Amino acid sequence: MPRGGISTGRYFGTDGFRGRAGSQLTAEHAFRTGAFLGAYYSSLNGTKCRAVIGKDTRRSSYMLEYALVAGLTSSGADAYLMHVTTTPSVSFAARCGMFDCGIVISASHNPYYDNGIKLLNSKGEKLGDEVINLLENYLDDPSSYPVSRADGVAVGAAVDYVAGRNNYIAHLMTLVSLPLSGMKIGLDCANGAAYNIAGRVFRSLGAEVHCVGCRPDGFNVNDKVGSTHISKLRTLVKDRGLDIGFAFDGDGDRCICVDENGSVIDGDGILYILARFLSDENALSGNKIVATVMSNSGLVRSLGEQGIAVERCAVGDRFVYEKMCRCGAVLGGEQSGHIIVGKVENTGDGIVTALYVAQAMKSWGVRASAMTDGLAVFPQVCASVAVSDKMSAFSPEVDREKLRAEALLGGSGRVLVRPSGTEDVVRIMVEGEDENLCVRLCDRLVSAIRGGEECAE
């Protein structure tokens, strides 16, 4: 493997190192990751490395946490443990607590048997490709990087750092200018990392809070709850007559909304709401936002009619953030609910997103369903195809089918075929004015990918 430059992706994808805990992602992987980070940052800065660690509620998170701590301390680093907490809270701690790096143990929206390791730099941003590449080399060959073992007084310490989570909660409380008293809010915490934070924040701000997905047992994270399984929150909001509902994922960096009728407001709808809210507050720098290629073209048209431009980027919150930095936007996000409010954070944060949407609703004095008035949505048909080789997304047959689909859609539609950065699947999106045509074209692309897989076998 190459020794520098762009990450090869041997272990780390667009959202960290993710796989089945105990087989694809092991305690040995975690130990080596900790040992490398301790040695790398100690060498880089000439001082003892300080790393902050948070985890979600999966049973395997403890195994990986302890292994990371062992690796860090064995190379002389100090490990600060925030325990069960969200990805954005670790990002906040990393940049505000003078840490060299942040580590999150989570597989986000995946089932309990998967887990992951996400790495952040001292600014709370995703760790750069150059360092990731060195780490991947070390995971394959420990002789590729000089990691010495500490002994005696040089051995690192493990420090209880629940204070870091409390500091983050205090930070969240400062983001709200209008109290939420009188609002009835539903929360679905996916039995994940937000379960002990979100309800506490909204209740402290005066809201009446009703929860689902707030009883983790190590195995029920994302199990029919959370931002990818919205039905329980929809039922909760409708049955109890709530004003709005918010669903998070396993590590708390996504948010999907449900209005008072139980209708879903996805990431595009949230971007539409927050773009107009920030514009009203004279806080939308340059009157532009960032969205990915997956965002609906209706969002672009609807915001454009209100003088707000949308700049596109590749799928992944990392790419959203990088594009925001380049173009000076203070708001960006994904259809999946990763929303970055750049004036207060540099990563997706489900609770921050929910707080801003609640503020918009309170400020405008409208029902949740009215906040998306004026948002056009074009039919969009999506599919995910499980593959053994994600390069099948670029086979000649798939390329031909994609060109055919684009020709049939003419100038009124789009076709995207891309390998997932987090799973062994190829994702397809067909968007156009005729939904039936989009369905047929999507089905043909699915068949082309599956046919390519069979030929490869």
Side-chain angles (χ1 to χ4, degrees), residues 138-160:
Y138 181 75
L139 291 175
D140 279 338
D141 177 12
S143 68
S144 68
Y145 192 86
V147 174
S148 58
R149 296 287 182 258
D151 64 358
V153 295
V155 173
V159 182
D160 187 299

Side-chain angles (χ1 to χ4, degrees), residues 147-380:
V147 174
S148 58
R149 296 287 182 258
D151 64 358
V153 295
V155 173
V159 182
D160 187 299
Y161 193 56
V162 70
R165 188 174 67 209
N166 293 334
N167 291 340
Y168 169 71
I169 291 172
H171 159 68
L172 293 176
M173 304 285 287
T174 68
L175 302 180
V176 175
S177 57
L178 295 173
L180 303 182
S181 53
M183 293 188 73
K184 296 186 291 183
I185 294 175
L187 298 177
D188 181 347
C189 296
N191 292 318
Y195 91 96
N196 59 356
I197 299 177
R200 179 177 166 185
V201 169
F202 277 92
R203 289 189 182 96
S204 296
L205 292 169
E208 177 185 320
V209 176
H210 301 256
C211 293
V212 293
C214 289
R215 294 186 176 181
D217 62 12
F219 304 106
N220 62 359
V221 62
N222 302 313
D223 185 12
K224 299 181 180 63
V225 288
S227 60
T228 54
H229 303 280
I230 207 76
S231 59
K232 286 189 177 179
L233 180 63
R234 295 177 69 184
T235 299
L236 177 74
V237 170
K238 288 189 295 182
D239 287 356
R240 300 196 181 180
L242 307 185
D243 298 312
I244 195 168
F246 302 105
F248 312 114
D249 61 344
D251 69 329
D253 64 357
R254 294 191 194 191
C255 176
I256 295 293
C257 302
V258 170
D259 70 18
E260 76 279 4
N261 302 313
S263 298
V264 175
I265 304 173
D266 67 5
D268 284 351
I270 293 169
L271 284 173
Y272 179 75
I273 293 166
L274 295 189
R276 294 185 303 123
F277 175 61
L278 292 176
S279 180
D280 288 350
E281 299 289 309
N282 295 315
L284 191 66
S285 177
N287 273 337
K288 59 188 170 187
I289 71 166
V290 172
T292 76
V293 293
M294 289 296 293
S295 280
N296 198 283
S297 295
L299 173 68
V300 179
R301 177 183 294 182
S302 301
L303 286 179
E305 290 172 351
Q306 300 186 47
I308 299 172
V310 179
E311 299 210 15
R312 299 266 198 182
C313 68
V315 174
D317 60 339
R318 170 183 174 177
F319 301 117
V320 171
Y321 176 67
E322 290 174 351
K323 182 75 169 182
M324 289 171 64
C325 291
R326 288 197 300 271
C327 73
V330 296
L331 177 65
E334 298 188 274
Q335 200 176 55
S336 61
H338 282 124
I339 308 295
I340 301 175
V341 183
K343 59 186 291 185
V344 297
E345 61 188 354
N346 52 22
T347 188
D349 189 326
I351 299 175
V352 167
T353 300
L355 288 172
Y356 268 78
V357 171
Q359 281 286 280
M361 186 175 169
K362 190 81 170 178
S363 176
W364 292 340
V366 300
R367 306 193 74 168
S369 57
M371 290 197 292
T372 53
D373 285 352
L375 173 62
V377 179
F378 297 159
Q380 201 175 69

Side-chain angles (χ1 to χ4, degrees), residues 50 60 62 94 214 222 318 346 416 426 434 444:
R50 297 173 74 249
S60 60
Y62 292 86
C214 289
N222 302 313
R318 170 183 174 177
N346 52 22
L416 294 174
V426 171
D434 184 338
R444 289 183 64 92

